[in-house]
Amino acid sequence: MLEIILYSLIIGAVGGGCIAAGAARMFHAPEVQAMGSFRTLGEMNACNGDPIAHFSFGLGFFFSSAASAVAAGALTQDVFHRIVTNWGAAVLLLKNRNMEETVWNPRKMMLAGSAVGAVVVVFLNTMSQLIPEKLSLIAKNVLTPATGWLINPVMPAIFWLAAVDAGKVVGIWGTVLGGVSALISGNAVPGIVLGILIGKSAEENGYKSRMVQILIGIVVIMFVAIAYFRGFFGKFVIGS
Amino acid sequence: MEKRTFSEKFDAFMMKDNTFILLVMGAAASIFAGTYLFVKFGTGAFNEISIVAMLTDGMSSGDYAAAAGFAAGFLIARILEGPLVGLMDIGGSLMTGVGIGIPAVFLSMGWKFPFSNFFAALLVGAVIGIVIGVVLIIIRKVVPEGMTVGGTSIMMGAGNAVGRYLAPLIVVAATQYNVFAGIGAIVGAAIFYKWGKEMTGGAILGAMILGAIFL
């Protein structure tokens, strides 16, 4: 238990600080390379420098993160994406309502994010550990079949349809690579994801583009390697 | 010349392009360490249940192809896209790519060192972060303007849709597992839906609560 608290403290402080600083840099992108997400940027702008808005926005995600942590030990992406950034902003805005001097400042956001991150991650991880054995057994018995179905065949179907709906070029790349991936690795999703990536990039930049050629090269090598190591080529021998 | 205070110098440092590499390093280290925590203690992975499930699935079956391939796709896409728009999406690149995909690759290769102890995980994560940060800055400096990496919005859309499917699947799984867990899942999902919260959480919590009382 002590181990988990100590590790969570380090993880939360380091990750929260770095990501909050990256989020503050979002307000200066694209001149400065930032990290975060467009979603978060929009949401933080929508809160308009009001600490209460930032706090309650984060709180909503905190509850769903807590539920997910208790159920499956998955803290959700929202911990760093939304809770740390919004609560960090809320803490800073309490003292100074000027967004440019607080939320836009990577140094201040790093300090606030680091504190918030440490507290949130420790809390979520200890809470999920305090759950009695019986409860986690039930969660496991319910989650295992559900996530199994999700991974195969629900996810391949969703990604496949998304690729097909995105136009002929993407659809064909997705279909072919998805099928190949299902053949050699047993799951179509990796192939479809790469197919979408290649198809869309090819559509926008053309096959002459160096980047598209490199992408195709990487994918071909990857698939041949996977097929080789999984003994796929042996399946062609009739009667084996 | 005016003398600058430490804070001002630090502010300027935090806005430098190269400082980005340090930020990615810290973020990747902590996310990778979070996955270590999950592998070791069953809690702490920084991702949605549906994506973490791919890693757990690999851990029980020994087949990491789904997790590695899925997450690597996101990682590649986000690293290429990040420098072009000036904003790297941490969800796809770090949380899914570094948190799920790279651990899946290591585990499938049988490379145990990153998961041997916490500080090894932190160290390996930091190295991965540095590599990503450096690659990103190089792409940013080298790639001409006007290049685009397409497809991330399609992938995001499909990724979000996947999360939505989990709630009904959990209710179905709960009803098949046990009648009390099933009723709990139904009620929990309905209540969370009414509140406008993620139904997945409600379904699991409902199943756990009624299951705990009656089982």
Side-chain angles (χ1 to χ4, degrees):
Chain A
M1 197 69 206
L2 198 65
E3 233 180 336
I4 295 178
I5 294 176
L6 184 69
Y7 294 166
S8 302
L9 205 65
I10 298 173
I11 291 173
V14 173
C18 289
I19 284 166
R25 286 166 64 120
M26 289 199 299
F27 296 98
H28 309 278
E31 290 78 26
V32 179
Q33 177 67 45
M35 61 181 180
S37 77
F38 283 107
R39 227 176 9 176
T40 313
L41 183 59
E43 287 160 0
M44 289 182 78
N45 278 327
C47 290
N48 218 355
D50 176 24
I52 308 290
H54 276 295
F55 179 75
S56 40
F57 190 77
L59 191 65
F61 287 103
F62 181 71
F63 283 131
S64 49
S65 292
S68 162
V70 167
L75 304 195
T76 76
Q77 298 189 353
D78 293 327
V79 172
F80 281 155
H81 249 313
R82 287 163 156 158
I83 300 173
V84 161
T85 46
N86 276 297
W87 283 5
V91 170
L92 291 178
L93 287 167
L94 274 182
K95 274 196 264 171
N96 183 350
R97 283 297 184 96
N98 189 332
M99 294 261 294
E100 276 172 54
E101 287 170 12
T102 52
V103 181
W104 293 29
N105 183 317
R107 174 177 60 89
K108 288 182 181 159
M109 275 297 274
M110 182 168 81
L111 295 176
S114 171
V116 172
V119 173
V120 170
V121 174
V122 168
F123 182 86
L124 290 176
N125 276 335
T126 33
M127 201 175 69
S128 89
Q129 283 294 298
L130 291 176
I131 296 298
E133 190 85 4
K134 192 173 133 195
L135 282 183
S136 53
L137 185 75
I138 295 170
K140 204 170 164 237
N141 273 313
V142 172
L143 271 174
T144 308
T147 51
W149 297 330
L150 189 76
I151 291 163
N152 216 355
V154 173
M155 253 171 89
I158 297 170
F159 275 83
W160 211 304
L161 293 179
V164 170
D165 286 342
K168 283 278 187 291
V169 180
V170 178
I172 288 176
W173 274 105
T175 301
V176 172
L177 288 184
V180 169
S181 154
L183 265 177
I184 61 175
S185 79
N187 195 314
V189 173
I192 304 170
V193 168
L194 294 169
I196 293 173
L197 197 62
I198 293 178
K200 200 73 191 169
S201 302
E203 204 177 81
E204 281 168 12
N205 304 312
Y207 289 104
K208 292 252 165 60
S209 148
R210 173 72 73 201
M211 195 177 66
V212 175
Q213 290 169 349
I214 293 174
L215 265 179
I216 296 176
I218 294 174
V219 169
V220 169
I221 293 169
M222 215 168 85
F223 274 130
V224 170
I226 294 173
Y228 177 78
F229 286 116
R230 293 175 70 98
F232 173 70
F233 296 117
K235 289 185 188 169
F236 286 108
V237 182
I238 295 165
S240 69
Chain B
M1 201 176 109
E2 204 180 336
K3 219 171 172 210
R4 295 195 301 168
T5 65
F6 175 73
S7 293
E8 279 166 336
K9 271 190 211 158
F10 200 65
D11 277 343
F13 172 74
M14 288 301 290
M15 292 296 284
K16 275 192 183 154
D17 239 10
N18 290 339
T19 309
F20 179 77
I21 298 171
L22 290 178
L23 295 178
V24 179
M25 180 189 84
S30 73
I31 290 169
F32 195 87
T35 303
Y36 158 80
L37 218 58
F38 180 77
V39 171
K40 193 87 187 282
F41 301 103
T43 183
F46 289 103
N47 224 316
E48 318 303 329
I49 294 177
S50 54
I51 300 174
V52 174
M54 285 195 269
L55 190 64
T56 355
D57 201 53
M59 275 152 58
S60 55
S61 69
D63 183 2
Y64 292 95
F70 170 80
F74 270 92
L75 182 62
I76 296 170
R78 290 310 193 185
I79 289 180
L80 291 175
E81 180 207 52
L84 302 178
V85 296
L87 203 174
M88 183 180 77
D89 184 276
I90 52 174
S93 59
L94 300 183
M95 292 169 190
T96 300
V98 175
I100 304 293
I102 295 180
V105 170
F106 289 164
L107 287 169
S108 69
M109 294 191 318
W111 192 36
K112 295 263 174 3
F113 171 72
F115 305 99
S116 55
N117 69 67
F118 179 73
F119 296 99
L122 218 52
L123 181 74
V124 172
V127 172
I128 295 168
I130 292 175
V131 172
I132 292 177
V134 169
V135 168
L136 230 111
I137 294 297
I138 290 174
I139 295 178
R140 192 173 158 82
K141 300 250 158 84
V142 169
V143 171
E145 295 210 12
M147 284 285 274
T148 51
V149 181
T152 42
S153 61
I154 305 171
M155 281 157 58
M156 280 310 292
N160 291 336
V162 169
R164 296 192 58 209
Y165 277 72
L166 190 56
L169 290 179
I170 285 174
V171 176
V172 173
T175 55
Q176 290 181 0
Y177 166 57
N178 176 280
V179 64
F180 299 112
I183 294 171
I186 298 168
V187 174
I191 292 175
F192 268 52
Y193 171 68
K194 185 89 199 302
W195 286 347
K197 292 264 167 287
E198 201 59 53
M199 277 169 76
T200 313
I204 303 172
L205 288 182
M208 282 164 75
I209 292 168
L210 274 207
I213 298 171
F214 292 106
L215 279 178

